[in-house]
């Protein structure tokens, strides 16, 4: 039952959480009555689950430089090891990922049940994984490989009906003179001034922006067919309203249907909000938002990172995110020869098998009407003068809740919806044999396990204070069984 007090808590927390969301576009209203942003988002709201791919020269370094192993996310190795530009160019001269197979990667996305795919076309290291006239530090001109992975992937995705998008680091570029460089946590310290490590990085940001970033974004939108998403990242301080507007205008002039992700910078330029890396909000969140997430603890391949998430864990996250109104963009980090690590393939195919049976409750599904299932605000901690930042992990499914707001999450069940249907995803099969839910205002006319081809009727007791459903004695699915409640 939702008590008044509990509702007030949920409201207060949603408002507080909403304040953290990045602003989204205010587009002019076209004749259909839907804003341009809403029109662009239609397929994306259906899709729910996408593949992110971090792949570049850093994949070849795999977390190591000159015998040293570097902590943290692998695609930042050039920054962490302060690799001089000439040495990084030498890495390019050895980059020859002969095992790269665009069809195999796109097929993996399809097997996983992912509906869109976004690859790093240029990460912060400044190296373009596509053919570029604007800058010669690219895979065609600077490596022996001689193939364009962005082109091959665009084709492989088109063949399978997977929407294709590109990540582009618009502000940070550690190889181009004038490209921005993160100043780290010292940024607040006015005396801190050493982000650069190679004199070749000296230069003017606007020159970089006009001569590399804008032309390369133009190339990406002109040479690879329909681009579904342009995924920008780390705007830092430099992506002011004026620069962000120039990028947004360029994208939508060249491809009006292309979505602009939440990290463009400036204000009110994006089509949807991007959560922090691996961050899932505690509660439902309004608007269009996406959680970008890793399968281990890095985006770009690192040979020593074996901290793989399981199919059960990823499935929980997918359901959790969809039940809160979001999309899940899950990363693979292929290695330097182009092979996707086997554990990530296994996890993704496991999720795909679950989705084959239960996809009806995910694709195009809406938020939960409840809220109690997410857990409860930790009132004691919230009331304390300085509420501690808590990280919490479910021992069974590993679901991580890492949020500024003190919260005691629960992971027993989640709910997604479609008109006339409530889908209850059960992660912890109740030992009592009964699924107890809060009150449902509509009359429940049918209840069945989605995976049961016969849709055998389950016994439901519905009162004003709640719903009780008699379940089969054992869970029909080890990851999560979905009970569909049809309402009228
Ligand atoms: C971060 C990192 C970056 C990664 C991205 C993915 O902002 O800078 O390396 O690509 O998150 O969401």
């Amino acid at each position: 039952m939702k008590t008044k007090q509990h509702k007030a808590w949920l409201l207060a927390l949603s408002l507080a959480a909403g304040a953290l969301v990045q602003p989204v576009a205010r587009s002019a209203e076209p004749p259909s009555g839907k804003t341009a942003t809403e029109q662009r988002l239609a397929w994306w709201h259906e899709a729910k689950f996408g593949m992110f791919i971090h792949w570049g020269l850093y994949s070849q370094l795999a977390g190591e430089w000159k015998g040293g192993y570097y902590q943290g996310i692998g695609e930042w190795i050039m920054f962490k090891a302060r690799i001089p530009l000439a040495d990084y160019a030498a890495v390019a001269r050895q980059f020859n990922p002969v095992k790269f197979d665009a069809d195999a990667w796109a097929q993996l996305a399809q097997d996983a049940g992912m509906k869109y795919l976004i690859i790093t076309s240029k990460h912060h290291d400044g190296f373009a994984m596509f053919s570029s006239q604007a800058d010669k530090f690219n895979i065609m001109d600077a490596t022996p490989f001689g193939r364009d992975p962005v082109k091959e992937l665009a084709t492989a995705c088109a063949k399978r009906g997977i929407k294709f998008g590109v990540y582009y680091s618009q502000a940070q570029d550690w190889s181009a003179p004038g490209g921005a460089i993160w100043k780290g946590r010292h940024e607040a310290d006015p005396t801190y001034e050493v982000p650069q490590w190679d004199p070749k990085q000296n230069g003017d940001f606007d020159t970089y922006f006009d001569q590399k970033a804008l032309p390369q974004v133009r190339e990406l939108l002109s040479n690879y067919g329909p681009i579904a998403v342009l995924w920008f990242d780390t705007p830092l301080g430099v992506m002011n309203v004026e620069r962000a507007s120039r990028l947004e205008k360029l994208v939508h002039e060249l491809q009006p249907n292309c979505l602009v992700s939440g990290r463009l910078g400036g204000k009110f330029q994006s089509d949807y909000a991007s959560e922090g890396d691996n961050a899932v909000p505690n509660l439902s969140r309004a608007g269009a938002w996406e959680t970008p997430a890793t399968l281990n603890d890095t985006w770009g391949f690192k040979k020593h990172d074996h901290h793989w998430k399981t199919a059960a864990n990823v499935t929980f996250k997918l359901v959790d995110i969809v039940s809160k109104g979001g999309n899940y963009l899950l990363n693979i980090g292929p290695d330097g020869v182009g092979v996707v690590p086997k554990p990530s393939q296994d996890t993704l195919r496991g999720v795909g098998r679950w989705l084959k049976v239960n996809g009806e409750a995910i694709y195009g599904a809406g938020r939960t009407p409840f809220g109690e299932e997410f857990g409860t605000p930790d009132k004691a901690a919230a009331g304390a003068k300085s509420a501690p930042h808590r990280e919490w992990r479910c021992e069974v499914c590993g679901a991580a809740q890492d949020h500024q707001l003190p919260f005691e999450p629960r992971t027993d069940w989640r709910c997604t919806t479609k008109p006339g249907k409530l889908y209850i995803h059960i992660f912890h099969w109740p030992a009592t044999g009964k699924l107890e839910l809060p009150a449902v205002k509509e009359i429940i006319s049918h209840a069945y396990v989605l995976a049961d081809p016969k849709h055998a009727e389950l016994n439901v007791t519905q009162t004003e204070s709640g719903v009780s459903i008699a379940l089969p004695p054992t869970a029909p699915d080890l990851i999560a069984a979905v009970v569909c409640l049809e309402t009228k």
Side-chain angles (χ1 to χ4, degrees):
M1 256 303 269
K2 263 183 188 162
T3 61
K4 262 195 183 153
Q5 210 183 11
H6 189 175
K7 271 190 187 163
W9 259 105
L10 291 178
L11 181 69
L13 283 180
S14 329
L15 291 176
L20 303 171
V21 179
Q22 297 162 32
V24 290
R26 311 270 184 277
S27 313
E29 196 164 318
S32 72
K34 282 193 170 170
T35 63
T37 285
E38 281 166 352
Q39 287 184 336
R40 285 195 278 270
L41 281 167
W43 70 265
W44 187 87
H45 278 308
E46 279 291 312
K48 300 293 178 198
F49 193 27
M51 175 180 273
F52 213 2
I53 304 178
H54 276 66
W55 197 46
L57 298 180
Y58 44 81
S59 314
Q60 169 140 324
L61 298 179
E64 285 182 345
W65 181 248
K66 299 213 159 147
Y69 184 68
Y70 286 81
Q71 298 296 332
I73 44 183
E75 69 283 3
W76 277 70
I77 190 152
M78 183 183 181
F79 175 98
K80 284 171 195 259
R82 299 289 197 256
I83 302 177
L85 270 57
D87 289 359
Y88 207 64
V91 176
R93 286 196 293 278
Q94 282 155 20
F95 188 62
N96 194 17
V98 287
K99 295 200 173 156
F100 167 62
D101 179 348
D103 277 298
W105 291 12
Q107 190 55 48
L108 176 61
Q110 192 164 44
D111 292 350
M114 292 160 148
K115 304 293 186 187
Y116 57 111
L117 180 153
I118 297 173
I119 176 140
T120 45
S121 66
K122 184 202 83 167
H123 207 270
H124 310 329
D125 63 358
F127 181 75
M129 293 292 282
F130 60 100
S131 170
S132 175
Q133 298 300 315
D135 189 89
K136 292 288 150 202
F137 194 41
N138 72 72
I139 193 156
M140 297 293 272
D141 293 310
T143 78
F145 188 47
R147 283 162 57 189
D148 182 338
V150 171
K151 179 137 270 165
E152 291 182 30
L153 271 168
T155 309
C157 285
K159 258 196 250 167
R160 292 166 177 81
I162 296 172
K163 298 271 187 188
F164 179 71
V166 287
Y167 169 113
Y168 188 88
S169 176
Q170 77 279 29
Q172 285 208 81
D173 192 310
W174 306 327
S175 294
I181 303 175
W182 190 64
K183 290 188 185 172
R185 66 171 64 105
H186 305 282
E187 207 157 13
D189 171 2
T191 60
Y192 179 81
E193 254 305 337
V194 265
Q196 289 171 4
W197 59 90
D198 186 318
K200 293 206 190 83
Q201 293 166 324
N202 290 333
D204 164 57
F205 183 80
D206 278 312
T207 308
Y208 150 76
F209 196 60
D210 286 332
Q211 294 182 4
K212 184 168 177 182
L214 287 163
Q216 285 198 327
V217 168
R218 179 177 283 282
E219 289 174 338
L220 287 164
L221 290 158
S222 308
N223 303 337
Y224 298 95
I227 299 292
V229 182
L230 237 157
W231 216 96
F232 294 111
D233 197 13
T234 64
L236 307 185
V238 288
M239 288 304 292
N240 56 22
V241 175
E242 193 242 314
R243 289 173 181 142
S245 303
R246 287 180 69 198
L247 264 179
E248 183 272 336
K249 284 210 178 74
L250 177 66
V251 173
H252 289 143
E253 235 168 67
L254 293 170
Q255 295 212 20
N257 295 327
C258 180
L259 288 165
V260 170
S261 76
R263 298 185 187 172
L264 171 62
K267 279 205 164 104
F268 309 119
Q269 310 291 339
S270 304
D271 286 306
Y272 64 85
S274 180
E275 292 293 323
D277 296 347
N278 287 303
V280 180
N282 288 327
L283 304 171
S284 273
R285 176 158 289 186
W289 59 271
E290 174 183 70
T291 292
T294 51
L295 266 169
N296 49 353
D297 293 332
T298 178
W299 304 89
F301 178 75
K302 285 184 87 177
K303 65 174 156 206
H304 297 299
D305 184 339
H306 303 296
H307 193 211
W308 300 105
K309 296 176 182 73
T310 61
N313 182 303
V314 167
T315 305
F316 176 81
K317 289 192 168 76
L318 174 63
V319 175
D320 188 35
I321 288 169
V322 173
S323 79
K324 292 168 178 169
N327 274 31
Y328 189 24
L329 182 64
L330 183 59
N331 184 68
I332 57 166
D335 69 14
V337 285
V339 172
V340 179
K342 178 78 168 51
S344 39
Q345 293 194 34
D346 293 345
T347 291
L348 291 183
R349 293 210 166 88
V351 180
R353 280 190 292 276
W354 185 87
L355 276 167
K356 258 208 150 56
V357 179
N358 299 293
E360 179 191 320
I362 295 293
Y363 302 117
R367 295 174 174 79
T368 177
F370 303 112
E372 289 87 338
E373 69 273 31
F374 297 141
T376 44
D378 180 341
K379 292 181 194 174
K385 272 221 166 94
S386 60
H389 174 80
R390 292 193 161 202
E391 187 168 349
W392 178 91
R393 208 171 271 278
C394 167
E395 282 171 14
V396 181
C397 61
Q401 294 281 343
D402 184 4
H403 204 279
Q404 297 300 331
L405 298 170
F407 199 77
E408 292 294 344
R410 298 185 58 177
T411 55
D412 296 336
W413 58 276
R414 288 291 182 265
C415 176
T416 58
T417 52
K418 282 199 177 154
K421 284 180 178 173
L422 297 171
Y423 300 101
I424 313 295
H425 305 246
I426 309 170
F427 291 90
H428 299 268
W429 202 249
T432 57
K434 288 214 163 12
L435 174 65
E436 308 287 352
L437 299 175
V440 172
K441 24 180 215 313
E442 300 83 11
I443 309 279
I444 298 170
S445 52
H446 293 292
Y448 50 86
V449 175
L450 196 58
D452 170 9
K454 294 195 185 114
H455 285 186
E457 205 66 52
L458 303 175
N459 218 324
V460 178
T461 314
Q462 185 173 17
T463 68
E464 264 180 26
S465 57
V467 175
S468 173
I469 300 156
L471 295 174
T474 50
D477 191 307
L478 287 179
I479 294 183
V482 180
V483 168
C484 178
L485 305 178
E486 292 190 8
T487 58
K488 52 180 184 193

